[in-house]
Amino acid sequence: MGTTGSGSGGLADDRALLGRTSTAERVADILRTRIAEGFFPPGTRLSEDSIGGALGVSRNTLREAFRLLTHERLLVHELNRGVFVRVLAVEDVVDIYRTRRLVERAVVHDLGEPPFRLDGLVRAVTGGERDAREGNWAGVSTANIHFHRELVALAGSARMDELMRGVLAELRLVFHLVDDPRALHEPYLMRNREILDALDAGERVKAERLLVEYLDDSRDQLVRVYTRVREDGPGTPTG
């Protein structure tokens, strides 16, 4: 994940993405991606000077980007200390899965009649399986996130897509603190495939049942692992 608390995380390479009209939204997009990829792990203090200098943006623009990401619950502002990548509490994990269960289950329940447009799910599943063969467990984690985003995308709702983008971005903050990503993600490769196969066969009710069992098991496993991480790790801002 390779960055220090006060560094810029290689953001100078992303400067070209801003184009000529550097906006807070574009800066927030870049930082959101960097946080999701683990360049800025949970608990990292974000330096205005380093990041602003790397991206070539004003302090006001950067502060607005920080404000946007704080609203998304990815950052937290600590009085007289600065802005940090948020460290979630165990209760946050439970709440994230409660939200996921409500949204993802509703999407599958309301899919209507097959056939369903499953190209995005197929890419996510095959990509995860390929990364697993290569031992790329960070890639497996990303593919798993993509699987659930593509699942929600079947609803064709921009609002649901935006909601899940935020929820899954928060979830990745937890993943970055887990020291054995293979044990966390490998068991769900086959379960992703089973859900995909059920949908491909038009078996929506079966897919819904598999999804609910999947989310409940994933929640229980992650809560166990993350509880241990939070008990063993140093105290960091939770927001």
Side-chain angles (χ1 to χ4, degrees):
M1 293 186 284
T3 184
T4 62
S6 60
S8 62
L11 285 172
D13 295 337
D14 287 329
R15 189 168 181 168
L17 297 177
L18 296 174
R20 295 184 178 180
T21 56
S22 300
T23 66
E25 289 83 1
R26 288 175 178 167
V27 174
D29 283 342
I30 290 171
L31 293 179
R32 186 186 300 107
T33 298
R34 289 287 178 154
I35 291 168
E37 292 174 348
F39 286 95
F40 296 117
T44 301
R45 181 182 177 276
L46 300 186
S47 166
E48 288 186 3
D49 291 339
S50 295
I51 294 174
L55 291 177
V57 297
S58 70
R59 190 176 296 270
N60 286 340
T61 296
L62 186 59
R63 286 177 177 174
E64 175 63 13
F66 284 171
R67 188 192 67 78
L68 292 171
L69 295 177
T70 299
H71 180 71
E72 295 177 18
R73 302 175 63 81
L74 295 179
L75 301 180
V76 58
H77 181 265
E78 293 284 312
L79 188 63
N80 298 324
R81 296 190 63 211
V83 175
F84 295 80
V85 179
R86 189 163 171 259
V87 179
L88 273 65
V90 173
E91 293 79 10
D92 293 315
V93 178
V94 174
D95 193 43
I96 284 171
Y97 272 88
R98 183 184 299 117
T99 303
R100 291 184 64 189
R101 201 178 194 273
L102 287 169
V103 174
E104 294 186 46
R105 183 178 189 178
V107 168
V108 175
H109 183 80
D110 294 339
L111 276 178
E113 296 299 319
F116 311 118
R117 301 188 62 175
L118 303 176
D119 291 350
L121 285 177
V122 170
R123 287 192 297 270
V125 169
T126 56
E129 292 169 344
R130 180 185 63 249
D131 287 332
R133 290 192 298 271
E134 296 172 355
N136 178 11
W137 300 106
V140 172
S141 173
T142 296
N144 191 46
I145 291 291
H146 287 167
F147 176 83
H148 291 279
R149 288 184 63 174
E150 292 293 343
L151 185 70
V152 171
L154 293 175
S157 167
R159 291 176 179 83
M160 281 193 176
D161 290 344
E162 183 177 359
L163 172 63
M164 286 304 294
R165 183 187 71 170
V167 167
L168 294 174
E170 280 193 80
L171 188 62
R172 295 196 74 162
L173 295 178
V174 179
F175 291 163
H176 292 317
L177 294 180
V178 174
D179 58 6
D180 189 354
R182 177 174 184 171
L184 188 66
H185 300 299
E186 187 175 30
Y188 298 96
L189 287 168
M190 183 178 296
R191 298 177 79 161
N192 287 344
R193 171 64 70 178
E194 288 173 346
I195 293 170
L196 172 61
D197 289 346
L199 291 173
D200 190 42
E203 298 175 336
R204 182 191 55 74
V205 174
K206 178 181 179 181
E208 182 180 348
R209 175 179 56 80
L210 291 171
L211 175 65
V212 169
E213 293 171 352
Y214 174 120
L215 291 175
D216 288 349
D217 290 346
S218 178
R219 177 201 60 212
D220 293 345
Q221 179 194 18
L222 189 56
V223 164
R224 285 195 303 271
V225 172
Y226 194 59
T227 297
R228 186 174 67 249
V229 169
R230 294 290 284 141
E231 289 174 349
D232 295 344
T236 42
T238 62

